[in-house]
Amino acid sequence: TGANSVETDGQTEWTDVQKKIIPWKNSTPSLDLEMVFQDRAAKLGKSNSRLIVVASLIDKPTNLGGLCRTSEIFGASALVVGSLHYIQDKQFQHLSVSAEQWLPLIEVKPSQLVDYLQQKKTEGYTIIGVEQTAKSFDLTEYCFPEKSLLLLGNEHEGIPANLIHHLDVCVEIPQQGIIRSLNVHVSGALLIWEYTRQQVIKQNQQK
């Protein structure tokens, strides 16, 4: 069982159902959110895994649905979206194949992202942008911290300049083809998998 946040007279109540939807800054104490993360990690047997995938800048329901599915499969702590209305979209649901029922979803509007990223920094998360810059790390050479927040850019504009300044690091995917861009869901999936792969290796070494 999971938790679903429901507004009642300005307060947030937790009900014992499968779907986990968490509006950010909606009277939900951060402790409750951390408990949701810990509960998910414990059920997945990945107590050291803390990956938040932030997709608030993404517009297309198909990309969001695919990211939801990928994030759930590889054990991410949560998926952040710009609006919870996306989960009602048929294209989203077609790609997510019910993953939203098992993965905590957090609503953070694009205008709230700066505050959200700053809050996560104070909680010990490393803010990682998926972007090609002069100082980007090659994905094959980057070691993900346990507490990682992955910020994905918009389908067309990428990550805006005002958010680039709040990143701790940029990571790019090595490419060999002529076309120099990947679909944002594919890019996100590659980094989510690499994070998961590294965490599995660490856990096996600790056994």
Side-chain angles (χ1 to χ4, degrees):
T1 58
N4 180 35
S5 63
V6 180
E7 286 187 52
T8 305
D9 295 328
Q11 299 297 318
T12 301
E13 296 181 350
W14 294 88
T15 57
D16 193 23
V17 296
Q18 292 291 351
K19 189 174 294 186
K20 301 168 185 172
I21 300 174
I22 307 166
W24 184 60
K25 282 191 173 181
N26 192 37
S27 304
T28 305
S30 59
L31 179 60
D32 285 352
L33 180 56
E34 185 61 23
M35 289 175 64
V36 172
F37 287 3
Q38 291 176 2
D39 177 64
R40 175 168 169 76
K43 288 177 180 177
L44 294 171
K46 301 173 68 175
S47 57
N48 293 328
S49 178
R50 288 286 189 280
L51 175 66
I52 300 175
V53 180
V54 178
S56 296
L57 298 172
I58 295 175
D59 297 324
K60 293 183 179 180
T62 49
N63 285 330
L64 290 167
L67 278 166
C68 184
R69 182 175 181 175
T70 300
S71 297
E72 200 289 318
I73 286 173
F74 290 118
S77 298
L79 175 66
V80 176
V81 295
S83 172
L84 292 175
H85 292 299
Y86 282 113
I87 66 174
Q88 306 300 331
D89 188 283
K90 289 184 178 179
Q91 290 182 310
F92 178 99
Q93 294 175 358
H94 179 71
L95 269 295
S96 71
V97 292
S98 82
E100 69 274 10
Q101 297 182 26
W102 310 100
L103 176 71
L105 299 179
I106 304 170
E107 181 181 272
V108 178
K109 300 181 186 306
S111 61
Q112 298 175 312
L113 274 176
V114 170
D115 289 342
Y116 182 74
L117 296 181
Q118 289 296 335
Q119 177 184 317
K120 290 303 165 187
K121 280 190 180 185
T122 65
E123 295 174 12
Y125 282 87
T126 297
I127 313 302
I128 303 164
V130 186
E131 195 67 76
Q132 295 176 335
T133 70
K135 298 181 180 180
S136 292
F137 282 83
D138 189 306
L139 177 59
T140 62
E141 300 173 355
Y142 183 70
C143 182
F144 285 88
E146 288 180 0
K147 296 183 76 170
S148 290
L149 183 151
L150 187 62
L151 177 64
L152 302 172
N154 177 263
E155 287 92 342
H156 301 290
E157 289 82 24
I159 299 175
N162 70 308
L163 292 179
I164 290 284
H165 298 305
H166 294 277
L167 301 177
D168 294 311
V169 63
C170 283
V171 175
E172 64 176 299
I173 300 162
Q175 301 173 32
Q176 297 179 347
I178 296 173
I179 299 175
R180 301 298 295 171
S181 66
L182 285 167
N183 172 273
V184 67
H185 171 215
V186 175
S187 297
L190 289 170
L191 270 81
I192 293 166
W193 161 245
E194 180 58 23
Y195 171 90
T196 303
R197 187 188 70 83
Q198 292 183 16
Q199 293 300 313
V200 169
I201 290 173
K202 288 179 183 179
Q203 290 169 28
N204 289 339
Q205 291 174 343
Q206 293 170 359
K207 291 181 180 178

